[in-house]
Amino acid sequence: PHWHSLPLAVLAILQRRDRWYRWQRAAAHHRQHRQSLCASCITTFAVSSIINRRLSTVDVQNATLAGGVAIGASSNLKISPASALIIGTSAALVSTLGFNKLQPILEDKFNLHDSCGVHNLHGLPAILGSIAVTIAVAIPSNKGSVIYPKGDQQYLAQIGGASITLLVAHLSGLFVGAVLKRVPSGAGPATPPFRDHPFWTEATKED
């Protein structure tokens, strides 16, 4: 990494959080988003510093937003601030541990590379969010003014929807992976994976 990688990464973090708050303003229920995001931000800084003995830029870039991912499905429900904080804290914990503990295992043992951190920022917190919304719709006091399409059986619909989504994600991922393995990259066999220089002009440090 070049000397300017960290400052640019920090600027990207600030931009992402600013845009996330802008997206929330368009929603009718954004209080839960703010609470969950605050919890995930605090938890990420704490857990990342404990695991790495210092802050990891990857964790701060990604796991701080995990609370917003996990609270999305239940944000229009009348859930309590404590529930939003628990969801945000849990999402950040799962996401940070995913980046630092689970991802190396997936790469070394199963040769599964997640170069953009999609699994740890969106996949794992989304599963947590599916569990959270399933529990939330089963509690009558959380309903508020929301009309459940399936009535008292809405929790079953949430379980079914999450299961179908996981199935489609796995099948489509296997299909795309199989296709990409058969498509020549054009970079040559001697080029290491995840390198940009065969296709892009890279910035270099001046002497």
Side-chain angles (χ1 to χ4, degrees):
H2 298 292
W3 66 270
H4 48 68
S5 298
L6 182 57
L8 290 177
V10 173
L11 288 175
I13 295 169
L14 295 175
Q15 183 188 42
R16 291 177 71 182
R17 294 198 67 85
D18 177 69
R19 288 182 179 274
W20 200 290
Y21 283 119
R22 290 176 185 270
W23 296 333
Q24 292 172 26
R25 295 193 189 107
H29 306 273
H30 54 267
R31 172 179 56 84
Q32 294 91 333
H33 265 106
R34 291 200 302 268
Q35 294 165 349
S36 185
L37 278 172
C38 286
S40 66
C41 185
I42 295 172
T43 303
T44 298
F45 274 80
V47 176
S48 178
S49 61
I50 293 173
I51 293 176
N52 302 294
R53 299 185 180 276
R54 56 181 177 177
L55 290 175
S56 168
T57 307
V58 173
D59 296 340
V60 175
Q61 273 184 297
N62 295 279
T64 52
L65 300 176
V69 176
I71 197 71
S74 54
S75 61
N76 63 331
L77 301 177
K78 196 177 179 181
I79 61 175
S80 65
S83 299
L85 293 175
I86 291 173
I87 293 173
T89 300
S90 303
L93 182 62
V94 168
S95 181
T96 306
L97 291 176
F99 278 107
N100 291 277
K101 300 298 183 181
L102 181 59
Q103 186 164 320
I105 296 175
L106 294 177
E107 292 178 357
D108 296 337
K109 302 296 184 181
F110 302 96
N111 198 28
L112 294 175
H113 294 268
D114 185 15
S115 57
C116 294
V118 176
H119 177 256
N120 302 309
L121 172 57
H122 297 280
L124 297 179
I127 294 175
L128 177 65
S130 298
I131 297 173
V133 72
T134 301
I135 297 174
V137 297
I139 302 174
S141 60
N142 291 333
K143 184 175 182 180
S145 60
V146 178
I147 300 176
Y148 295 155
K150 300 298 181 182
D152 294 337
Q153 304 298 316
Q154 182 63 32
Y155 69 97
L156 294 176
Q158 299 296 148
I159 295 174
S163 301
I164 293 173
T165 301
L166 279 173
L167 177 62
V168 172
H170 279 84
L171 293 178
S172 59
L174 290 172
F175 173 75
V176 173
V179 171
L180 291 178
K181 283 184 177 180
R182 288 163 174 76
V183 175
S185 64
T191 303
F194 311 118
R195 295 295 185 269
D196 294 330
H197 67 268
F199 310 101
W200 297 88
T201 301
E202 295 182 329
T204 57
K205 184 177 181 180
E206 296 182 357
D207 295 332

